[in-house]
C-alpha cells in the first residue's frame, strides 16, 4: 500500500543587521561570552526595547521576493516562558500580525517546477545560549545571541519528499543570501532549518508529525527526513503510533532519536508587547525597499540563458550566490561584455575549482574580477593563448601580480612573429618525415600531432592559429 | 528654617548667593536623620552623593550655568534606576540591585542640577495603594502616624508633606501619584502617557506607567515637569514632539473655564466629608470665573475590573525576568533549575506581587485570554471614550481623587478588593492615558483631601494653571503637620 509524505519547513534566517533587533548591541559572531549583550539584552530592570528599523526593511524585501502579502500593521507579541538563557522571561515575536503573510516559492525537482506555499514569515528575537561543561557542575549563560534578529519563515505542508524539502530549503537559502538579508552560514547557525514530517495514506487526514530540529547541512536534512519517513512508515505498518515530538538527527548513525515530546503543550500566554507600539509600513516604505532589491536568481538565470547565450548549467552555477553573480557581472563588464561564455568558463571551471580546493568563498577570492578580466583581455587580444592563460591564472592565484605583470616577468607573450614560427614548423616537419608521409597519405589527424610539436618547441608561446595556418600551407604545398 | 521656603524662594536665595546648595542639602539630610526613622519614607539615603552634587550645583550657581532648579534637592521613588545607588522597587527581590544606569528622568534632573537625597519607599513594584506592601515596612502618613500615606508613591508623598525633601519624583500606574498626594496634602500630576520617558523606570504595567512630579505647589510641579519631560528614543512609547513650557500658563485667568462634574464620581461609597471638600473646592474654582457642566462617565464601574486584568497581565510578564538567574534575589541551595525559579520567586516577592502575577498569568492563559484580557482591552477603550466624549462638553473634569481620606495602617491589608477600590477615581484616567492632577483642597477627619483635575491629552499646562490659580486663593497646600513645620 502506498504512503503520502507531508513535509513543512520552518526556517530561521538570522538577519544581517549590525545591531540587535531591540538594542544597539553588536551581533558579530564568535565574540567572548556576554561581551555583546547590553543592559537591554540582559533584561535589566527598567530597560526597554526599541525596534531596529533595518529588520523591518529586510522583512519587506523577503515578502516582495516571495510575492507575499505584507503586514501594513505589525504587532510585536510576548511569548512567555522560563528558560535560563531567555533573559526577560519572554521572547518578543510576531503572532497575529507578522511582517510577511501568504506567499510562495517555486522550486525545481527533477526538471519539474513546483509552487510551494509560504504561510508567513515573522520577526523575532533569538534567545541566548547555555554552555554546559565550561564550569564543572554549572551551566554558563552566554547572552551574546540574545536579541539577535531572526525571520522565521514557515512553509505550508506542501512538500512531499526529502528531495523537495531540500530543494525548497536551498532555494530559500539562495533567496535570502541574494537579498543580502541573511549570510546563510549554517555552521554558525545563521540559517537553521526545522522539518515537520508526517506520513499518511492517500486521502486520509494529516498524520502525527515529528519535528527535526536544527540540522546544519542540506545533505543531513535530506538524510534525516528520509530516515524519518522510513521510521514512521515502519512504525505504523508494524502497528505502532507516531507521537508528536522533537527529534534529533545523528549523522554518525544516520538515525533520528527523540529529544522531547510535545504531549504537554506549553502555555506561552502570548499578548501584545506593551513596550512596543505597532509598526506601520507604508507603500512608500515598500517602494523604497523595492528600489534597493537586486535582480533575483530566477530572473538572472533566465536572462543569462536568453541574453548571454549561457547554458542552463552555467547560469545555475553563476547565480548560486549573490557574490558569484556579482563577480560574473563585474567580470563581464571589465572584459567589455564581448564573450560571456569565456567569462563563464573561467569562473565555473578554473576559479570555482581553485576556490573549492582552498575552501574559499568567491567573496574571498585572491583573484579579483579586475585581475581575471585583465587576463581574459590578454587572451582576446592574442597576447597569450588560452593554454598559457592557465599558467598566468596559477601565478595570479599565488599572488604574483596582475596578468600583465606575470606575462612580462615570465616572458609568456605569444610568439606572433611569422618568421620564428615558420622556422619551428620547418624543423618539426624535417624531424618527422614518417608522420609527414602519413599525413600526405590521407591521415589528416596527424595535423594535431604537428601542432602539438610546434607548440612544444615554442614553449607554448606560439600563436596556435598561425601555427595551424603555416602547417597547412607547408603540408599542402 | 530653610525647609519652610518655597522652591521659588530657595531658588532665588541660591542664585543670589544667600544660601548654598550644600547648606540646603545638609539641612534636608539633617531633617531626614531626625524624622525619617519614624516615618520610614526613605528606603535609601545618599548623603555623600547629595553633598557632592550640591557642591557641583554651587559651582554652577557661581559660574552662571545654573537653571531654576539647580541646587534644589530631590528624592527619587525607588522605582527609578539610579546609577550606583541601590534601586530595589521596595522588593526583597531587588534588595541587592545597584543599577548601573540612570533612568531618563533621573538623568534629566541630574542635568538640571538637583542633588539626590535618596530613594523613597513605595509599594513593592508599585503594586498597592497604601505603601504597606514594601519589603522595608510601611511608610507612615506625616499627618497622622496611624494612617497610610497612600501608594504606591507613598514615600514620595510623605517626604514632601514632612519637609524631608522639597521635591520628589513619583510614578502613577493606577493613581500612584495622585492618591498619595491627596492623602498627604501635596500636589502631584500624572502627565499624558508618553510625555515622560519610562526608560529606567522598573516596569509594573508598561501601558499605564507614567512618571510625574510630587511637590507642594502646582507651580513647583510645573517647573519640575519642565525638567523631567523630554523625548527619549530609548522608550518607543515616548512621544516625539516638542514639549511646551508647562509653567507658561500659570498666570492665565480661569474666566470661562468649563468644568465637567461627573455625577458618577459623587455616588455611593464617597465619604461625605470628602464630597464636601471637593464640592467646596469646585465652588472656589467657580469663583475664579469657571462654570460647571454636568458630564457623564457611564462606564466608570468598568475601570477597576478592566485595570485589574490588564495591569496584572502586563506585570506577570514584566516581572518574569526576576527568576534568580542573572541578578536580584536567588534562593539558597536550589535543588535544580525549577526549584531555583520557584523558590527565588516565592521567597523574593511579597504577597501582593504574587497575587497580581497569578491573576495576570491566569488572564493571559490559553482559553481565558479572550474572556479576560481581550474583553478588558475593550472595556479600556469604552472608558477612554467616556472621557473623550465628556471633553467635548468641558475643558477639564473635576472630582475626588479617592473615596476617603487616608485610611489606617493595616485597615485594608487583609482585603485586597477594598484596597483596589481606593483607586476607583484615578484608574479610569490611566486607562485612557489622560493627564490628571491632585491639589490639596481641605481636610476630612483631620486628614488631607485632594481635588482631582483631569484634562484631555496634552492639557498638563492647563491643569497646572488651574492648580496654581486655586493655590493663589487657598492655602491648603501651605499647611504642614505641626511636628514637621
Amino acid at each position: 500500500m502506498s504512503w503520502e509524505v507531508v513535509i513543512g519547513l520552518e526556517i530561521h534566517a538570522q538577519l544581517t543587521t549590525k545591531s540587535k533587533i531591540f538594542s544597539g548591541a553588536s551581533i558579530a559572531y564568535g565574540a567572548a561570552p556576554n561581551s555583546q549583550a547590553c543592559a537591554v539584552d540582559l533584561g535589566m530592570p527598567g530597560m526597554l526595547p526599541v525596534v531596529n528599523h533595518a529588520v523591518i526593511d529586510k522583512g519587506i524585501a523577503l515578502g516582495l521576493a516571495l510575492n507575499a502579502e505584507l503586514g501594513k500593521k505589525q504587532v510585536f507579541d510576548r511569548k512567555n516562558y522560563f528558560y535560563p538563557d531567555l533573559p526577560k522571561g519572554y521572547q518578543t515575536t510576531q503572532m497575529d500580525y507578522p511582517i510577511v503573510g501568504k506567499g510562495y516559492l517555486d522550486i525545481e525537482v527533477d526538471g519539474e517546477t513546483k509552487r510551494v506555499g509560504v504561510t508567513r514569515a515573522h520577526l523575532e528575537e533569538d534567545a541566548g545560549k547555555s554552555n554546559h561543561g565550561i564550569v564543572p557542575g554549572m551551566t554558563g549563560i552566554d547572552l551574546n545571541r540574545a536579541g539577535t534578529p531572526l525571520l522565521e519563515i514557515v512553509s505550508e505542508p506542501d512538500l512531499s519528499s526529502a528531495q523537495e524539502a531540500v530543494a525548497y530549503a536551498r532555494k530559500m537559502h539562495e533567496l535570502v543570501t541574494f537579498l543580502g538579508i541573511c549570510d546563510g552560514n549554517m555552521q554558525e547557525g545563521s540559517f537553521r532549518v526545522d522539518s515537520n514530517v508526517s506520513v499518511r495514506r492517500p486521502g486520509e487526514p494529516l498524520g502525527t508529525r515529528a519535528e527535526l530540529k536544527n540540522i546544519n547541512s542540506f545533505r543531513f536534512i535530506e538524510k534525516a527526513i528520509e530516515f524519518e519517513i522510513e521510521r514512521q512508515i515502519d512504525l505504523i505498518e508494524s502497528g505502532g503510533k507516531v507521537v508528536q515530538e522533537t527529534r534529533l538527527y545523528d549523522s554518525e548513525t544516520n538515525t533520528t532519536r527523540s529529544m522531547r515530546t510535545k504531549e504537554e503543550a506549553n502555555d506561552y500566554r502570548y499578548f501584545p508587547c506593551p513596550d512596543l507600539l505597532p509598526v506601520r509600513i507604508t507603500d512608500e516604505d515598500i517602494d523604497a525597499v523595492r528600489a534597493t532589491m537586486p535582480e533575483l536568481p530566477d530572473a538572472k538565470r533566465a536572462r543569462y540563458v536568453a541574453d548571454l547565450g549561457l547554458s542552463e548549467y552555467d547560469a545555475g552555477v553563476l547565480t548560486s550566490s549573490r557574490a558569484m553573480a556579482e563577480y560574473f557581472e563585474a567580470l563581464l563588464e571589465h572584459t567589455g561584455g564581448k564573450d560571456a561564455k569565456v567569462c563563464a568558463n573561467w569562473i565555473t571551471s578554473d576559479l570555482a575549482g581553485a576556490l573549492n580546493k582552498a575552501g574559499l568563498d568567491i567573496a574571498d577570492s585572491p583573484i579579483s574580477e579586475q585581475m581575471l578580466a585583465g587576463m581574459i583581455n590578454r587572451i582576446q587580444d592574442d597576447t597569450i593563448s588560452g593554454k598559457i592563460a592557465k599558467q598566468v591564472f596559477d601565478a595570479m592565484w599565488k599572488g604574483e601580480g596582475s596578468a600583465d605583470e606575470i606575462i612580462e616577468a615570465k616572458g609568456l607573450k605569444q610568439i606572433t612573429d611569422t618568421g620564428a614560427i615558420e622556422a619551428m614548423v620547418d624543423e618539426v616537419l624535417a624531424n618527422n618525415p614518417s608522420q609527414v608521409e602519413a599525413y600526405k597519405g590521407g591521415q589528416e589527424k596527424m595535423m594535431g600531432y604537428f601542432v602539438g610539436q610546434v607548440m612544444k618547441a615554442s614553449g607554448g608561446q606560439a600563436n596556435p592559429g598561425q601555427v595551424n595556418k603555416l602547417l597547412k600551407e607547408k603540408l599542402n604545398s | 528654617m530653610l525647609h519652610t521656603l518655597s522652591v521659588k524662594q530657595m531658588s532665588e536665595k541660591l542664585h543670589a548667593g544667600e544660601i548654598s546648595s550644600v547648606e540646603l542639602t545638609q539641612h534636608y539630610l539633617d531633617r531626614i536623620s531626625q524624622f525619617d526613622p519614624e516615618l520610614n519614607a526613605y528606603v535609601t539615603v545618599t548623603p555623600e552623593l547629595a553633598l557632592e552634587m550640591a557642591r557641583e550645583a554651587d559651582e554652577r550657581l557661581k559660574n552662571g550655568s545654573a537653571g531654576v532648579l539647580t541646587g534644589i534637592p530631590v528624592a527619587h521613588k525607588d522605582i527609578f534606576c539610579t546609577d550606583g545607588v541601590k534601586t530595589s522597587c521596595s522588593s526583597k527581590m531587588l534588595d541587592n540591585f545597584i543599577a548601573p544606569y540612570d533612568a531618563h528622568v533621573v538623568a534629566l534632573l541630574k542635568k538640571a542640577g538637583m542633588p539626590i537625597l535618596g530613594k523613597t519607599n513605595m509599594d513593592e513594584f508599585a503594586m498597592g495603594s497604601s505603601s504597606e506592601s514594601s519589603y522595608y515596612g510601611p511608610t507612615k502618613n506625616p499627618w497622622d502616624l496611624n494612617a497610610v500615606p497612600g501608594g504606591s508613591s507613598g514615600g514620595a508623598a510623605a517626604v514632601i508633606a514632612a519637609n524631608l525633601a522639597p521635591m520628589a519624583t513619583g510614578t502613577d500606574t493606577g493613581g500612584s501619584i495622585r492618591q498619595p498626594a491627596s492623602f498627604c496634602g501635596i500636589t502631584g500630576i500624572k502627565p499624558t502617557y508618553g510625555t515622560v520617558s519610562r526608560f529606567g523606570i522598573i516596569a509594573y504595567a508598561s501601558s499605564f506607567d507614567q512618571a510625574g512630579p510630587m511637590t507642594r505647589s502646582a507651580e513647583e510641579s510645573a517647573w519640575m515637569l519642565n525638567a523631567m519631560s523630554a523625548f527619549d528614543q530609548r522608550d518607543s512609547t515616548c512621544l516625539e514632539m516638542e514639549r511646551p513650557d508647562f509653567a507658561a500658563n500659570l498666570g492665565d485667568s480661569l474666566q470661562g473655564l468649563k468644568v465637567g462634574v461627573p455625577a458618577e464620581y459623587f455616588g455611593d461609597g464617597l465619604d461625605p466629608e470628602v464630597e464636601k471638600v471637593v464640592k467646596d473646592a469646585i465652588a472656589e474654582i467657580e469663583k475664579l470665573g469657571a462654570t460647571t457642566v454636568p458630564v457623564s462617565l457611564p462606564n466608570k464601574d468598568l475601570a477597576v475590573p478592566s485595570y485589574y486584568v490588564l495591569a496584572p497581565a502586563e506585570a506577570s510578564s514584566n516581572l518574569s525576568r526576576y527568576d534568580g538567574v542573572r541578578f536580584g534575589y536567588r534562593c539558597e541551595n536550589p535543588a535544580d533549575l525549577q526549584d531555583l525559579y520557584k523558590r527565588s520567586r516565592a521567597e523574593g516577592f511579597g504577597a501582593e506581587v504574587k497575587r497580581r502575577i497569578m491573576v495576570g498569568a491566569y488572564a493571559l492563559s490559553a482559553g481565558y485570554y479572550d474572556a479576560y484580557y481581550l474583553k478588558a482591552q475593550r472595556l479600556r477603550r469604552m472608558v477612554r471614550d467616556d472621557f473623550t466624549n465628556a471633553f467635548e462638553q468641558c475643558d477639564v473634569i473635576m472630582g475626588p481623587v479617592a473615596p476617603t481620606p487616608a485610611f489606617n495602617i493595616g485597615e485594608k491589608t487583609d482585603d485586597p478588593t477594598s484596597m483596589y477600590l481606593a483607586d476607583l477615581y484615578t484608574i479610569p484616567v490611566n486607562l485612557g492615558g489622560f493627564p490628571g492632577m491632585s491639589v490639596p483642597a481641605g481636610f476630612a477627619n483631620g486628614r488631607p483631601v485632594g481635588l482631582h483635575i483631569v484634562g484631555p491629552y496634552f492639557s498638563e499646562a492647563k491643569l497646572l494653571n488651574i492648580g496654581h490659580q486655586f493655590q493663589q486663593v487657598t492655602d491648603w497646600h501651605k499647611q504642614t503637620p505641626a511636628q514637621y513645620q
Side-chain angles (χ1 to χ4, degrees), chain B residues 184-232:
Chain B
C184 291
I186 67 156
T187 303
I189 181 166
K190 179 202 88 73
T192 306
Y193 182 81
T195 303
V196 177
S197 167
R198 292 184 295 112
F199 179 87
I201 298 174
I202 296 178
Y204 157 27
S206 310
S207 75
F208 299 90
D209 296 342
Q210 191 63 198
M214 300 179 77
T215 61
R216 281 175 302 184
S217 73
E219 183 178 43
E220 291 170 358
S221 277
W223 290 343
M224 196 167 157
L225 189 56
N226 274 345
M228 65 194 276
S229 172
F231 171 64
D232 180 11

Side-chain angles (χ1 to χ4, degrees), chain B residues 126 151-152 171-179 189-194 204-212 265 303-304 306-308 310-311 314 377 379-381 383-384 387 401 423-437 452 454-455 457:
Chain B
S152 62
T171 61
D172 189 316
T173 305
S176 288
I177 286 176
R178 292 159 289 155
Q179 185 253 23
I189 181 166
K190 179 202 88 73
T192 306
Y193 182 81
Y204 157 27
S206 310
S207 75
F208 299 90
D209 296 342
Q210 191 63 198
Y265 277 30
V304 170
S306 158
Y307 175 83
Y308 277 100
L310 296 175
E314 293 183 19
Q377 287 288 28
L379 301 187
R380 181 179 192 169
R381 277 193 290 276
V383 171
R384 181 196 62 196
F387 280 88
V401 177
D423 295 334
L424 87 162
Y425 301 123
T426 50
I427 281 173
V429 178
N430 298 82
L431 288 174
F434 298 105
M437 183 167 72
H452 198 190
V454 181
Y457 297 124

Side-chain angles (χ1 to χ4, degrees), chain B residues 86-397:
Chain B
K86 180 172 105 165
T87 301
S88 74
C89 235
S90 286
S91 178
K92 181 181 181 184
M93 188 57 91
L94 290 176
D95 183 41
N96 60 2
F97 180 68
I98 294 172
Y101 40 77
D102 280 325
H104 190 232
V105 166
V106 170
L108 288 172
L109 296 183
K110 270 187 180 174
K111 207 173 115 201
M114 302 182 76
I116 297 171
L117 294 169
K119 310 296 288 290
T120 60
N121 203 3
M122 56 185 282
D123 280 303
E124 185 183 2
F125 282 104
M127 298 180 192
S129 309
S130 67
S131 295
E132 292 169 285
S133 73
S134 165
Y135 173 58
Y136 306 105
T139 296
K140 290 171 184 162
N141 189 320
W143 288 94
D144 183 340
L145 297 177
N146 295 314
V148 301
S152 62
S153 311
V159 301
I160 300 301
N163 285 323
L164 304 190
M167 300 187 128
T169 52
T171 61
D172 189 316
T173 305
S176 288
I177 286 176
R178 292 159 289 155
Q179 185 253 23
S182 176
F183 281 11
C184 291
I186 67 156
T187 303
I189 181 166
K190 179 202 88 73
T192 306
Y193 182 81
T195 303
V196 177
S197 167
R198 292 184 295 112
F199 179 87
I201 298 174
I202 296 178
Y204 157 27
S206 310
S207 75
F208 299 90
D209 296 342
Q210 191 63 198
M214 300 179 77
T215 61
R216 281 175 302 184
S217 73
E219 183 178 43
E220 291 170 358
S221 277
W223 290 343
M224 196 167 157
L225 189 56
N226 274 345
M228 65 194 276
S229 172
F231 171 64
D232 180 11
Q233 60 180 16
R234 296 169 301 178
D235 172 4
S236 71
T237 62
C238 186
L239 296 156
E240 190 170 2
M241 57 169 219
E242 198 66 34
R243 268 70 177 162
D245 176 351
F246 295 106
N249 297 73
L250 294 176
D252 290 0
S253 154
L254 301 189
Q255 201 66 46
L257 181 79
K258 274 166 98 177
V259 176
V261 181
E264 293 85 356
Y265 277 30
F266 291 89
D268 286 348
L270 180 62
D271 181 303
E273 286 199 49
V274 171
E275 179 169 359
K276 182 174 184 312
V277 168
V278 171
K279 288 200 163 157
D280 286 353
I282 295 172
E284 198 67 42
I285 303 266
E286 283 184 283
K287 280 192 220 155
L288 292 170
T291 52
T292 58
V293 287
V295 293
S296 180
L297 301 170
N299 296 302
K300 181 202 78 167
D301 291 338
L302 300 179
V304 170
S306 158
Y307 175 83
Y308 277 100
V309 169
L310 296 175
E314 293 183 19
S316 72
S317 176
N318 282 336
L319 270 57
S320 300
R321 67 191 61 198
Y322 309 110
D323 58 4
V325 174
R326 292 168 312 284
F327 48 76
Y329 176 78
R330 178 185 290 181
C331 68
E332 299 267 354
N333 304 315
D336 56 24
L337 181 62
Q338 286 302 318
D339 189 46
L340 177 134
Y341 286 150
K342 285 178 182 165
R343 278 204 291 127
S344 296
R345 289 170 68 79
E347 294 165 18
F349 288 136
E352 183 58 29
V353 171
K354 283 191 264 198
R355 187 178 294 126
R356 295 197 195 186
I357 289 174
M358 283 191 283
V359 167
Y362 184 78
L364 288 174
S365 62
Y368 298 96
Y369 181 83
D370 290 2
Y372 292 100
Y373 183 83
L374 276 187
K375 187 154 281 178
Q377 287 288 28
R378 278 198 288 275
L379 301 187
R380 181 179 192 169
R381 277 193 290 276
M382 288 164 67
V383 171
R384 181 196 62 196
D385 292 347
D386 278 358
F387 280 88
T388 309
N389 293 337
F391 289 133
E392 285 173 6
Q393 300 156 54
C394 62
D395 300 311
V396 293
I397 288 170

Side-chain angles (χ1 to χ4, degrees), chain A residues 127-139:
Chain A
K129 206 169 116 188
S130 297
N131 284 318
H132 309 286
I134 291 180
V135 184
M138 309 277 274
T139 295

